[in-house]
Amino acid sequence: MVFFRMVRDLVNWYRHNPDAKEFTTYIAFVVIFSVIAFAGTPGDIQYHLNGYARSSLNFDENGQNGAVNVMDVSDMGTLDTWLRTSLPDLIFPQETYDGNPLSSIQRLYLVGEGRGMGAVRVRNVRGPFRVCDTPAWLTEVNGQTVNCTADIGISNYVTESYAERDDYSGNLPDGMNFTKPFTFQSRGELNTTFFAHIGEYGVYPQDGYTLDVIPNVSPDILADKVQQCRPLLEKSILECMRNQSVEFDPPASPPPPVYTVPQPPPLQLGTADTAGMVLTSATGGVDTFIMELSKSFELGESRRTDSYTFRIHNPGKVALQWKFDDPTKGLFSSTSWIDGAPNQIDGVVDAATVVLSTQSQTTGTDITIKVKTGSTYSNLPANSPPRDGVGNPGNVTLFIRSAQNDALVAAVTLFMKYKLTPLAAVVAPAPAASPSANGTGTNATNATATGRKLLQAAAPAPSPAPAPSSAPSVESLLNPAPPQTAAQKCTETTGAIDLNNLPSGLNVSRCSMVRDVMRECQFPYLGFHHLLELSKPEQCGQCKCKSDVDEGCLTSCSSKSIYDQQAEMLKKHAWMDRQTRGVLVDMTVLHQNSNLFQSIRVLFEFPSFGGIVPKADVRTFRLYRYVTSHDNLIMGLEIIFCIMLLWYTIEELLEFRKNKMEYMSNAWNILDWINLVVFYVVVGLRVGALIYTDGFDYNSVTVEYVDFQPIGFALVQELNVVSINFFLMYFKVFKYLSKVPRMDSILLTVSTCSFDLFLFFIMFGIIMFGFTAAFYMVFGPYLSDYRTLGTCFSTLFRVLLGDFDYGSLVEVNPTMAVLLFYSFILMGFMLLMNMLLAIVCDSFADVKGNQTEEDLNFYLNLRDKLSAKAKQLFSRNKELNAITASLKAGDGNMDNLIDESELEEALRHNPRAYEILKATGAKELLKKYDVDGNGVLDPEEMTAILKDIAEKESEILKEIKATEEAAAGAGDKGGGGRRGGGGGGGGGGGYGPPAEVDLTQVNERLDKVEGQIKEMSRNVAKKLALMIDLMMSLSDQISNVSSSGPGNHQSMGGAMVPGGM
């Protein structure tokens, strides 16, 4: 019961106390924010991954046995060595520990089980020259003026290509078309953002002269990506041929196709017991049975589609089951100018109804083939001669075979020509395939070597050789449509141009890649010559469908070999020069086990004074936050947090609208707005990172560079801002704790000594600046900790905290070290620090002195109250059990009735109970409540005693209220007496001297009333406590007695519990 009363009092206090509501709401806000912030931080795994990345990539160690690590780089020579040897060893692993080739997955591991994501970007940021501060006659060497280099900045960098500089002596690799790393690319061209990297010697923007290194993908993946670039490469070849006015070399004409079909055994029409198969044009009638048809199509600008229909006949006596053979079915999908499969690719033709004559009517099946302009079609000049559909090929032969007898075969040959002619000039399809129509059909009545009237039991005919095609036109190949993919699992793309047989008159060294408008190729940094060589069959051209560990492809189609050639070109053509201010190497690693990304950046700074200063940065962050159910819970908390943030903002705006400028005079309100602004910065960084990430298009084998660096930077800055929020949020708790006694001591102490602290910090700043300047002048040129005024001030501040290196000072300048160091210790540590402590201590003593005795004893009284409550809760059960035991012992006959002796024994330890119930003893109490006069108290009569106790409790509460009102009235009366006395004196001022008022009696009267009130309060409190104890004791006694008796068990329980409790 006591616990529930405490909860009820706490709820009532919360409902009627606005400060309590505000405090609890703010605590909930702080807790939600803390949970979100800690859940978004990777935790200790971040620390381990950062350290492991630095150690595995050798960022903090010097190389052994001639190897060059990052920390060994000190000039362009060692940097070039690192780029051409150490970097490839890091990003292009080749073998497992036992010497076996790595699989396609293992090749991507860069940091432990962290897989590289996309290409590695190597970027050169170059700065401009400036006018030297040195006298002009000292800047000339051997008749040449030596320029001075300027520091790099966010807007102070070179944007022109190497070739645009008049003084550039390098030989750009035009023949290899490897000019992109030597051409400036802006942030938009590099698909990155405006985040700049702040180094020790400059600020480095995100644009510059860039090379994206192809990741260490397996040969089959690399070959697939190379074949995707094949259309762009062929466009570049055709464009180069057109620029040089070069045509393809005409191919040697092969002999015409010859179809040799052995003579079948002699058969009589109408007596054959097998099926037959002959063809006719659907419009040619039945008198032109032939075994081979041919059809020529001529399409152009005016006609883009056409069709051809022929009929399959069965002059035999048995039903014919026919089908297009498998190679023919493949032609339907691989020939770009055939518009899909025909209306039927297999079927059944019934036997002929009359077979005695070639003029007899037979059943048949009509087959329709549709054609269209294919991938090699282009708009030719109006009067150009017809051209074959080169590269498709220009003609195909379709074979139809019997399912019962594979030797029973017929053929249909289709020819495609393109011509730009008006609609009236387009040749209509021939009505019938006959010798007189196109010269290629064979009459059925003339049995020659190439045609027969009836094909039965014939030997399989060899596949005809393709018809000779004329030389392809440059203009017809400039804009081909994308070829249809064959229905195989893996197909090597050969393209329309034989890369090993380019036109003899083409100067390849003058060719370059055309602009990739459609982004067909994912290798923008591969030059024309390099991509041409990779696309040949002897390199990557035949590796797409081979194993990822194929020995030949591992050598011929390798990302490492590509980078080796690129790095050699960079060195050969002086990619780094005097204007280079920084070289940045960026890579990203995915740790799939922990869902964390690592952005790794190695910065090589080129200070203006010369040399190279390396530095490596590793950032670990969680990019995809909402994956698991736990993440979804955090997302829900984030939504609640944003709602509460908006609610706080509206509340502050309404409060400002209400109080106007007075609102800004409260320092807590200013702190609230600072906190809200920082919160909105955190939300903006989070939302910005999500929007930026949503624009990415990548997967696990992406070979293009994906710019994760800005995301890593934004998420790290988010953590920095969150850390500020933590301090501001938890500091604001003092706003609510200041209303608790003695919890406002810190704020009161600071506010009390604020002016003294202001004066102290002025003095402190003057002394610190003097010593900072002195240390900077003496030790700045020699020690890193004193190289600038800022670092020198920070170092001296650490000296005050006991962190110093006195030995290095003595080593540089022994005399000034002793003088300056000990002077600073004497002034700064012994004088200033002790003065600060004295100011704070005196203010704290004043604050403590101004506190009342109630404030000083607040926590002691609170402790005593809590201890009393605890003792009451723990001892109550023991006391009740003792009383219950006494009652049971007193009720010797166990009849659930209490007589005089039992009642006297039960109240023996509560003698004041008789006084409260207005009885002198147990006998009088029994007589008062024994209604039936039987000399004992039954449960109903005991319930009456409890009711009387409850009424007495109500009377005491009324008495307390009356006492409080009397005390308030006495106070008002005393105050009124004072005011009345003062008023009387004032009133007499007009007629004579003010009357003398004796306040002694009034004060004595007030003191007497106050003492009476206190005595009454104490008496009432004692009575109330006694009555409550009595009521609880009796209620428990009766309940225990009623529950233990054999008689009125149910009735007593029902009467006592509701009535008493």
Side-chain angles (χ1 to χ4, degrees):
M1 293 297 297
V2 176
F3 172 76
F4 290 109
R5 283 199 299 270
M6 292 176 62
V7 174
R8 180 191 62 194
D9 294 340
L10 183 62
V11 172
N12 291 331
W13 170 78
Y14 176 81
R15 292 176 56 187
H16 299 90
N17 194 330
D19 291 337
K21 293 181 179 180
E22 184 179 356
F23 177 68
T24 52
T25 304
Y26 183 75
I27 291 300
F29 181 70
V30 171
V31 171
I32 291 175
F33 175 77
S34 302
V35 171
I36 293 172
F38 289 132
T41 304
D44 61 343
I45 186 67
Q46 180 180 9
Y47 166 78
H48 294 296
L49 288 177
N50 288 342
Y52 184 70
R54 300 184 70 90
S55 62
S56 62
L57 298 178
N58 302 320
F59 285 163
D60 302 319
E61 300 177 359
N62 293 325
Q64 303 293 332
N65 301 323
V68 177
N69 289 345
V70 172
M71 301 308 297
D72 297 321
V73 175
S74 59
D75 53 30
M76 289 188 186
T78 53
L79 177 55
D80 176 73
T81 303
W82 185 84
L83 289 174
R84 292 190 298 109
T85 59
S86 300
L87 180 62
D89 292 340
L90 295 176
I91 63 178
F92 295 115
Q94 300 296 320
E95 296 180 348
T96 61
Y97 72 94
D98 55 356
N100 293 322
L102 297 173
S103 66
S104 58
I105 298 177
Q106 294 172 324
R107 297 173 67 89
L108 298 176
Y109 289 150
L110 297 182
V111 180
E113 290 198 358
R115 290 187 283 111
M117 297 299 296
V120 177
R121 173 162 289 180
V122 183
R123 185 159 49 90
N124 182 356
V125 181
R126 304 171 71 231
F129 288 122
R130 64 178 179 87
V131 178
C132 299
D133 300 330
T134 311
W137 57 275
L138 291 177
T139 60
E140 294 184 1
V141 178
N142 196 21
Q144 298 181 358
T145 301
V146 180
N147 295 319
C148 293
T149 57
D151 293 332
I152 194 70
I154 192 62
S155 60
N156 185 34
Y157 54 91
V158 174
T159 60
E160 57 189 3
S161 65
Y162 284 65
E164 294 176 1
R165 297 207 46 93
D166 297 333
D167 57 347
Y168 182 70
S169 58
N171 180 22
L172 290 180
D174 295 325
M176 298 289 290
N177 187 237
F178 188 60
T179 58
K180 206 162 190 177
F182 296 88
T183 304
F184 177 81
Q185 297 182 76
S186 64
R187 294 192 301 266
E189 293 172 316
L190 294 175
N191 194 24
T192 183
T193 60
F194 60 88
F195 288 110
H197 185 95
I198 301 176
E200 189 172 356
Y201 299 98
V203 180
Y204 304 92
Q206 288 290 97
D207 37 25
Y209 304 83
T210 305
L211 170 65
D212 288 350
V213 182
I214 301 173
N216 193 31
V217 294
S218 57
D220 56 328
I221 297 177
L222 180 61
D224 180 50
K225 303 295 184 181
V226 170
Q227 291 187 16
Q228 292 178 18
C229 298
R230 183 66 178 265
L232 182 67
L233 177 63
E234 294 188 353
K235 288 181 182 179
S236 303
I237 294 174
L238 296 174
E239 185 67 26
C240 186
M241 292 173 60
R242 185 166 65 177
N243 293 336
Q244 300 182 27
S245 300
V246 176
E247 291 287 343
F248 285 99
D249 298 334
S253 299
V258 177
Y259 306 102
T260 303
V261 182
Q263 294 290 337
L267 295 174
Q268 297 294 327
L269 290 175
T271 63
D273 57 358
T274 60
M277 181 167 59
V278 293
L279 305 178
T280 66
S281 173
T283 58
V286 297
D287 58 342
T288 55
F289 290 153
I290 54 176
M291 68 177 184
E292 180 181 357
L293 293 175
S294 65
K295 170 63 178 174
S296 295
F297 298 98
E298 195 170 76
L299 301 180
E301 184 67 18
S302 301
R303 174 174 292 181
R304 295 295 187 94
T305 61
D306 204 346
S307 63
Y308 175 60
T309 303
F310 62 92
R311 180 174 295 171
I312 303 175
H313 295 271
N314 176 16
K317 195 175 181 180
V318 181
L320 168 67
Q321 295 182 4
W322 63 271
K323 65 177 180 178
F324 286 102
D325 62 6
D326 292 337
T328 298
K329 294 177 183 178
L331 291 174
F332 293 146
S333 58
S334 62
T335 305
S336 64
W337 49 268
I338 296 181
D339 193 7
N343 58 329
Q344 285 185 255
I345 60 174
D346 54 26
V348 178
V349 181
D350 294 334
T353 57
V354 179
V355 296
L356 297 178
S357 171
T358 59
Q359 304 295 326
S360 63
Q361 181 66 39
T362 64
T363 59
T365 300
D366 289 343
I367 306 298
T368 301
I369 299 177
K370 297 180 181 180
V371 296
K372 61 182 179 180
T373 53
S375 61
T376 58
Y377 172 76
S378 63
N379 295 331
L380 303 175
N383 296 321
S384 63
R387 298 175 182 265
D388 292 340
V390 293
N392 289 294
N395 61 291
V396 294
T397 300
L398 313 177
F399 292 95
I400 306 170
R401 298 184 183 274
S402 169
Q404 302 101 322
N405 183 5
D406 196 47
L408 191 58
V409 59
V412 178
T413 302
L414 305 178
F415 296 90
M416 174 58 67
K417 293 180 181 295
Y418 296 140
K419 184 178 181 180
L420 181 62
T421 56
L423 182 60
V426 177
V427 178
S434 64
S436 60
N438 50 36
T440 58
T442 304
N443 206 324
T445 58
N446 299 325
T448 62
T450 58
R452 288 194 61 83
K453 175 181 176 180
L454 185 64
L455 272 176
Q456 289 182 320
S463 300
S469 60
S470 60
S473 170
V474 175
E475 298 294 338
S476 65
L477 299 178
L478 280 176
N479 298 302
Q484 298 182 4
T485 305
Q488 287 88 6
K489 182 178 181 181
C490 180
T491 304
E492 299 283 359
T493 304
T494 57
I497 300 177
D498 187 356
L499 302 181
N500 287 322
N501 294 289
L502 296 178
S504 57
L506 181 64
N507 186 356
V508 179
S509 63
R510 293 171 53 190
C511 297
S512 61
M513 298 296 295
V514 297
R515 186 178 180 183
D516 189 6
V517 179
M518 303 302 296
R519 296 185 61 84
E520 300 176 71
C521 184
Q522 299 182 29
F523 298 140
Y525 292 88
L526 281 183
F528 173 83
H529 181 78
H530 208 163
L531 186 58
L532 177 63
E533 295 298 322
L534 285 174
S535 302
K536 293 182 178 180
E538 55 269 20
Q539 290 201 15
C540 294
Q542 299 295 330
C543 293
K544 175 181 176 181
C545 298
K546 293 185 179 180
S547 170
D548 58 349
V549 293
D550 183 80
E551 184 176 355
C553 291
L554 286 173
T555 303
S556 62
C557 191
S558 168
S559 301
K560 184 177 184 300
S561 62
I562 295 174
Y563 173 71
D564 290 340
Q565 297 180 43
Q566 292 175 332
E568 194 64 32
M569 294 289 291
L570 295 180
K571 178 183 179 181
K572 179 180 178 181
H573 299 283
W575 187 62
M576 294 182 293
D577 57 9
R578 287 190 67 235
Q579 289 186 271
T580 298
R581 297 270 65 84
V583 173
L584 299 92
V585 180
D586 296 331
M587 65 185 76
T588 303
V589 175
L590 167 64
H591 293 275
Q592 183 175 325
N593 293 328
S594 52
N595 188 25
L596 293 177
F597 283 79
Q598 268 188 328
S599 63
I600 302 171
R601 167 167 287 180
V602 185
L603 169 63
F604 299 95
E605 294 189 87
F606 290 63
S608 58
F609 54 79
I612 295 178
V613 179
K615 182 183 179 181
D617 287 333
V618 180
R619 294 190 179 103
T620 303
F621 52 90
R622 177 173 286 110
L623 183 59
Y624 297 101
R625 298 173 178 265
Y626 313 113
V627 179
T628 64
S629 57
H630 176 266
D631 298 337
N632 295 330
L633 175 62
I634 297 300
M635 181 174 63
L637 293 178
E638 289 177 347
I639 295 174
I640 296 174
F641 169 79
C642 291
I643 295 174
M644 296 183 71
L645 179 62
L646 183 62
W647 178 76
Y648 271 117
T649 304
I650 297 174
E651 185 182 57
E652 294 297 329
L653 290 173
L654 294 176
E655 187 177 353
F656 175 77
R657 180 182 178 183
K658 178 181 179 181
N659 299 323
K660 304 299 181 182
M661 296 308 299
E662 184 182 354
Y663 171 85
M664 302 304 297
S665 62
N666 190 339
W668 290 114
N669 293 334
I670 298 176
L671 181 64
D672 288 339
W673 277 110
I674 295 175
N675 204 6
L676 289 175
V677 170
V678 177
F679 274 130
Y680 281 112
V681 171
V682 173
V683 174
L685 289 172
R686 175 72 62 83
V687 174
L690 292 176
I691 294 175
Y692 185 75
T693 307
D694 189 59
F696 285 171
D697 183 14
Y698 67 95
N699 53 37
S700 299
V701 291
T702 297
V703 296
E704 294 181 293
Y705 177 74
V706 184
D707 193 21
F708 289 98
Q709 290 289 336
I711 298 178
F713 176 81
L715 295 180
V716 170
Q717 298 310 311
E718 178 187 332
L719 296 180
N720 295 337
V721 178
V722 166
S723 65
I724 299 175
N725 265 122
F726 268 116
F727 168 74
L728 295 177
M729 286 180 58
Y730 283 90
F731 183 78
K732 188 182 174 182
V733 177
F734 284 104
K735 173 183 178 181
Y736 304 99
L737 295 181
S738 62
K739 299 180 181 180
V740 180
R742 299 182 64 180
M743 287 298 294
D744 58 347
S745 299
I746 296 177
L747 298 178
L748 290 175
T749 300
V750 174
S751 62
T752 302
C753 65
S754 58
F755 185 72
D756 292 336
L757 288 177
F758 173 73
L759 297 178
F760 168 79
F761 282 116
I762 292 177
M763 180 175 58
F764 178 80
I766 294 173
I767 295 176
M768 281 294 294
F769 182 78
F771 277 102
T772 298
F775 275 84
Y776 168 71
M777 296 295 293
V778 176
F779 303 106
Y782 310 103
L783 298 177
S784 174
D785 290 340
Y786 303 89
R787 67 185 184 276
T788 64
L789 286 174
T791 57
C792 187
F793 182 87
S794 176
T795 302
L796 292 181
F797 200 87
R798 294 201 313 269
V799 170
L800 293 178
L801 302 178
D803 181 16
F804 56 86
D805 184 6
Y806 178 71
S808 61
L809 299 177
V810 173
E811 184 178 354
V812 171
N813 193 327
T815 303
M816 296 305 297
V818 174
L819 178 62
L820 293 178
F821 180 78
Y822 287 105
S823 299
F824 179 72
I825 291 296
L826 179 64
M827 293 291 295
F829 184 76
M830 295 186 178
L831 180 62
L832 294 179
M833 296 301 292
N834 286 283
M835 184 180 295
L836 177 63
L837 291 177
I839 293 173
V840 175
C841 290
D842 288 346
S843 299
F844 183 72
D846 293 340
V847 171
K848 294 285 290 184
N850 293 331
Q851 290 179 342
T852 63
E853 182 178 357
E854 182 181 358
D855 293 337
L856 295 175
N857 297 327
F858 175 79
Y859 293 102
L860 295 177
N861 297 333
L862 181 63
R863 181 198 65 183
D864 295 340
K865 291 180 180 179
L866 294 176
S867 299
K869 286 289 183 181
K871 290 180 180 179
Q872 182 181 2
L873 289 174
F874 287 109
S875 62
R876 177 174 175 79
N877 188 44
K878 182 178 179 181
E879 294 175 356
L880 292 178
N881 290 336
I883 295 174
T884 303
S886 299
L887 289 174
K888 288 183 178 181
D891 188 12
N893 54 12
M894 302 298 291
D895 57 354
N896 291 326
L897 299 175
I898 298 178
D899 55 15
E900 179 181 350
S901 61
E902 293 173 344
L903 182 61
E904 183 177 2
E905 180 64 21
L907 300 179
R908 183 168 60 86
H909 298 290
N910 296 283
R912 296 196 61 185
Y914 301 115
E915 180 182 351
I916 295 174
L917 296 175
K918 297 181 180 181
T920 57
K923 183 176 181 180
E924 184 177 353
L925 183 64
L926 180 64
K927 182 178 179 181
K928 182 178 180 180
Y929 290 97
D930 185 12
V931 179
D932 53 6
N934 57 358
V936 293
L937 298 176
D938 57 21
E940 294 181 356
E941 294 168 344
M942 290 297 297
T943 303
I945 296 178
L946 293 177
K947 290 181 179 180
D948 287 347
I949 293 176
E951 292 176 357
K952 291 292 183 181
E953 181 182 7
S954 175
E955 292 176 0
I956 292 175
L957 291 175
K958 292 180 180 179
E959 184 179 354
I960 292 174
K961 184 176 181 181
T963 303
E964 293 176 348
E965 293 176 352
D972 293 339
K973 183 177 181 181
R978 290 186 180 90
R979 290 191 296 271
Y991 300 96
E996 293 291 337
V997 179
D998 187 7
L999 298 179
T1000 303
Q1001 296 181 358
V1002 176
N1003 292 333
E1004 290 178 355
R1005 184 178 178 183
L1006 289 174
D1007 293 340
K1008 185 176 180 181
V1009 171
E1010 183 179 0
Q1012 292 176 353
I1013 291 173
K1014 289 183 179 180
E1015 183 65 25
M1016 291 172 62
S1017 300
R1018 283 193 293 268
N1019 293 334
V1020 170
K1022 290 180 180 179
K1023 291 180 180 180
L1024 180 62
L1026 180 62
M1027 291 186 65
I1028 291 174
D1029 291 340
L1030 177 62
M1031 183 175 65
M1032 297 296 294
S1033 299
L1034 290 175
S1035 175
D1036 293 337
Q1037 292 171 13
I1038 294 172
S1039 299
N1040 290 330
V1041 171
S1042 62
S1043 62
S1044 61
N1048 301 325
H1049 180 75
Q1050 296 295 333
S1051 61
M1052 288 184 65
M1056 295 299 296
V1057 175
M1061 300 302 290

